[in-house]
Amino acid sequence: MPSAENIFLDHVAQTSPFPLKIEVAKAEGSHIYDKQGKDYLDFISGIAVTNIGHRHPLVVKAIKSQLDDYLHVMAYGEFIQSPQNKLAEKLASILPPSLSTSYFVNSGTEANEGALKLAKRITGRTGIISCRKSYHGSTHGSLSISGNEVKKYAFRPLLPDVQFIDFNRISDLAMITEETACVIIEPIQGDAGVRIPALGYLKALRKRCTEKGAMLIFDEVQTGFGRTGKLFAFEHFEVVPDILTIAKAMGGGMPIGAFISSKEHMTLLTHDPVLGHITTFGGHPVNCAAALANLEVILDDGLIEEVEEKGRLIQQLITHPSIKEIRRKGLMFAIEFDSAERVQKIVEACIADGVITFWFLSCPESFRLAPPLNISETDLRKGCEVIRLAIERNA
Ligand code: PLP
């Protein structure tokens, strides 16, 4: 009989030559257990997904309840489905009035694809501006606007009419013109290694986009749902985008995303051409039910209020002279060292000792931390001690 590892390697498509190969048996709260009974603390939340922990009871309950009513019934946008209605209404109630209408999709990259198409449709323009080192997803459109050439060169040609600016460089905003359909930006860059803009940068960006009639798209796929200490990171900067994209932590562990804008904008996707954007499974009722429960837990349990305090505690607990820099907003961390080799060893040591940390796509000298927002203080301290010791051993 082939082993689980052999089946995985032979029949499940791989994304790299060196997968972690932890064989998952169960996950609960901040913990993942493997088939050998080893207990891992998940300090990255499945990469910014399980912000309220694995299998939150209220998310599981909402899923089970929806399973008893209906699963897929019809391609997106035709039937009235109460899980979609409730989620869209809840999102509209907590977002600024100009972000009133949600188009539900299945993932972050899909949310960005929809947002780009919507911006073209609103403006009648084709120019797209994005940031160097950004990450917006792996499908052709999102890859085209992602700023890491290493991940792109093998797949050209990609979308035309895309220009790149430096994140946080005000002088580059002059590249936004009357030809620009949209600027897409992560308000805090995630896979660039947690890059936090200077106060005023996003306001200047907003002003320039408004002056030139370009749509401003905030990709909050990684920063959303409390990760940075606000429900959405744009709240830190008092800047409202024209289009907001979300996914990852939206579904409490289920696959769902959305691009969100005004009703007036969204209506443009219904004509010239009709069915301007379509998806079969977007807004799946089970995932919408999970997403609503997830959002209610984040809001009702006061989880966002705990984020800054927990972030500060982690920063205090993980100190070592070999750390060059810690970049942090809330519970979104990049811990930077002098070399990628050192980071490699530290991440491997943490995982061996039962704490899951991980690399960034475009910042090999740092590793990421993004624990669940509701991690207990005991688990938080335990995980930090493992990480601190791994750093010490590899200093
Ligand atoms: N945008 C950002 C900022 C992301 O961090 C990611 C994923 O890491 C994506 C988009 C793509 O999301 P998905 O992997 O769900 O397609």
Side-chain angles (χ1 to χ4, degrees):
M1 262 245 303
S3 67
E5 181 172 327
N6 283 341
I7 296 169
F8 171 71
L9 292 175
D10 289 344
H11 300 297
V12 179
Q14 306 291 296
T15 54
S16 85
F18 25 80
L20 290 178
K21 294 187 292 192
I22 292 168
E23 196 182 349
V24 180
K26 174 112 184 142
E28 196 89 58
S30 301
H31 298 257
I32 297 174
Y33 305 92
D34 75 8
K35 283 274 168 75
Q36 288 72 44
K38 185 168 169 179
D39 175 356
Y40 294 88
L41 272 170
D42 185 355
F43 258 54
I44 54 165
S45 304
I47 312 208
V49 169
T50 52
N51 282 9
I52 62 169
H54 294 275
R55 296 186 72 253
H56 191 286
L58 293 181
V59 171
V60 171
K61 188 173 164 211
I63 292 169
K64 285 185 175 165
S65 164
Q66 183 56 39
L67 291 180
D68 288 337
D69 290 343
Y70 53 92
L71 304 180
H72 177 83
V73 283
M74 179 60 182
Y76 183 72
E78 297 292 339
F79 289 3
I80 299 169
Q81 301 182 39
S82 77
Q84 289 178 356
N85 264 9
K86 286 182 191 161
L87 178 59
E89 195 181 25
K90 183 77 181 172
L91 286 165
S93 76
I94 53 174
L95 286 167
S98 59
L99 298 172
S100 61
T101 306
S102 294
Y103 191 117
F104 295 122
V105 292
N106 306 283
S107 65
T109 196
E110 247 192 271
N112 288 332
E113 298 282 350
L116 296 179
K117 283 175 68 182
L118 180 61
K120 285 182 169 177
R121 187 67 183 76
I122 295 166
T123 59
R125 306 173 184 174
T126 54
I128 299 171
I129 293 189
S130 183
C131 287
R132 295 193 180 90
K133 299 192 178 163
S134 60
Y135 181 67
H136 296 291
S138 208
T139 53
H140 268 83
S142 298
L143 187 63
S144 306
I145 55 162
S146 292
N148 182 344
E149 185 54 29
V150 174
K151 301 284 189 292
K152 286 161 66 164
Y153 70 91
F155 305 105
R156 291 191 182 283
L158 294 170
L159 270 187
D161 239 356
V162 181
Q163 288 179 293
F164 287 91
I165 57 176
D166 274 354
F167 184 80
N168 213 11
R169 179 174 299 210
I170 297 243
S171 58
D172 279 6
L173 300 183
M175 286 166 70
I176 303 165
T177 67
E178 277 84 7
E179 319 264 279
T180 310
C182 62
V183 177
I184 181 161
I185 189 167
E186 301 157 81
I188 295 170
Q189 283 192 315
D191 271 285
V194 185
R195 307 290 166 176
I196 301 156
L199 217 66
Y201 173 70
L202 293 179
K203 280 194 174 154
L205 171 61
R206 171 72 276 180
K207 187 163 172 280
R208 179 79 182 176
C209 284
T210 305
E211 280 165 8
K212 299 296 168 189
M215 292 295 106
L216 178 58
I217 304 172
F218 278 172
D219 175 344
E220 292 237 26
V221 168
Q222 195 167 146
T223 50
F225 296 94
R227 173 58 50 203
T228 69
K230 300 270 187 195
L231 188 60
F232 297 106
F234 72 77
E235 297 168 48
H236 290 291
F237 306 101
E238 296 166 10
V239 170
V240 177
D242 299 298
I243 307 171
L244 175 70
T245 63
I246 53 178
K248 279 195 181 280
M250 181 176 178
M254 297 294 274
I256 182 167
F259 58 102
I260 305 177
S261 191
S262 66
K263 168 74 185 158
E264 187 192 349
H265 286 161
M266 284 299 186
T267 302
L268 295 170
L269 293 177
T270 65
H271 58 92
D272 304 323
V274 172
L275 306 178
H277 194 70
I278 44 176
T279 161
T280 299
F281 285 124
H284 191 282
V286 175
N287 301 343
C288 284
L292 180 65
N294 173 67
L295 188 50
E296 285 173 347
V297 168
I298 292 174
L299 296 174
D300 299 348
D301 287 5
L303 294 184
I304 295 174
E305 286 85 79
E306 296 170 18
V307 167
E308 181 53 30
E309 201 181 318
K310 285 180 175 167
R312 235 181 281 134
L313 180 58
I314 292 176
Q315 199 160 353
Q316 279 161 18
L317 294 172
I318 303 178
T319 50
H320 193 272
S322 65
I323 297 175
K324 268 182 72 183
E325 186 182 31
I326 295 183
R327 292 180 296 278
R328 173 180 81 82
K329 197 77 177 166
L331 280 168
M332 183 175 183
F333 279 81
I335 319 260
E336 179 137 326
F337 293 83
D338 59 354
S339 73
E341 292 70 36
R342 196 184 305 283
V343 166
Q344 179 80 18
K345 284 184 190 149
I346 293 167
V347 171
E348 282 168 4
C350 287
I351 295 171
D353 291 343
V355 173
I356 298 175
T357 65
F358 211 62
W359 300 268
F360 290 104
L361 286 170
S362 301
C363 186
E365 295 82 22
S366 301
F367 70 86
R368 74 170 85 221
L369 297 180
L373 314 185
N374 59 352
I375 189 170
S376 70
E377 190 177 330
T378 310
D379 281 345
L380 190 152
R381 287 181 179 276
K382 210 162 115 189
C384 286
E385 185 57 8
V386 169
I387 296 166
R388 198 187 61 75
L389 289 172
I391 294 172
E392 201 162 272
R393 282 204 310 278
N394 291 284

